[in-house]
Amino acid sequence: MQTIGIKRSSTDGAERARPGPARDLTPLLAGAATAVGGVGAVLALADSGSPLRGPLTLFFLLAAPATAIAAALHGLPPLGRILVAGAGAVVVNMLVAQAMLAVHRWSIGGGVAAVTAISSLTLLLVLVRRLRGRTAQRRTD
């Protein structure tokens, strides 16, 4: 039996470390998205009458589960990860809405809190899994 492995090119590291201002753009956009989503969640939970409440809350309800799901799918190519994370975010929101309607406990704040809890739990499980993998890897080295 012969095992055939895939060799990565030596330019992978060079492509990731882009020179110039574009390399600093990704963390900046992630921070801005987190701030916008956080403001949307706070506006929804505070029951504010602001006209920005609807769009920012919608952004939070789509971005929070999508981020958690995308973190769990780090092995997929970027386009596949985006598509699956977006679809998963819609599914999480629909399941939360359906469960809340089934038990006659629908509220905007409750929906935001439930999506926050599910997204946080998913992200926490991903972080625990990654930390365990690093610990197991250190034991074998």
Side-chain angles (χ1 to χ4, degrees):
M1 261 313 210
Q2 182 180 5
T3 304
I4 300 174
I6 298 174
K7 294 183 180 180
R8 294 186 181 193
S9 65
S10 62
T11 60
D12 284 345
E15 290 174 3
R16 287 186 183 160
R18 294 177 292 196
R23 70 174 176 189
D24 295 334
L25 191 60
T26 303
L28 180 67
L29 289 176
T34 302
V36 168
V39 169
V42 168
L43 287 176
L45 292 173
D47 202 23
S48 172
S50 171
L52 293 176
R53 175 183 166 195
L56 294 182
T57 302
L58 180 64
F59 178 78
F60 172 78
L61 288 174
L62 291 174
T67 302
I69 293 170
L73 300 173
H74 67 279
L76 287 179
L79 181 60
R81 189 184 318 172
I82 290 169
L83 290 174
V84 171
V90 171
V91 168
V92 167
N93 287 318
M94 292 295 191
L95 287 174
V96 167
Q98 185 175 1
M100 291 180 76
L101 287 171
V103 297
H104 302 289
R105 296 287 180 199
W106 171 253
S107 70
I108 295 172
V112 170
V115 169
T116 302
I118 292 170
S119 300
S120 299
L121 183 62
T122 305
L123 206 53
L124 181 66
L125 291 173
V126 168
L127 292 175
V128 166
R129 185 183 69 182
R130 286 187 184 169
L131 288 176
R132 270 195 190 161
R134 288 182 184 163
T135 304
Q137 188 178 33
R138 286 182 186 166
R139 288 182 195 158
T140 59
D141 288 343

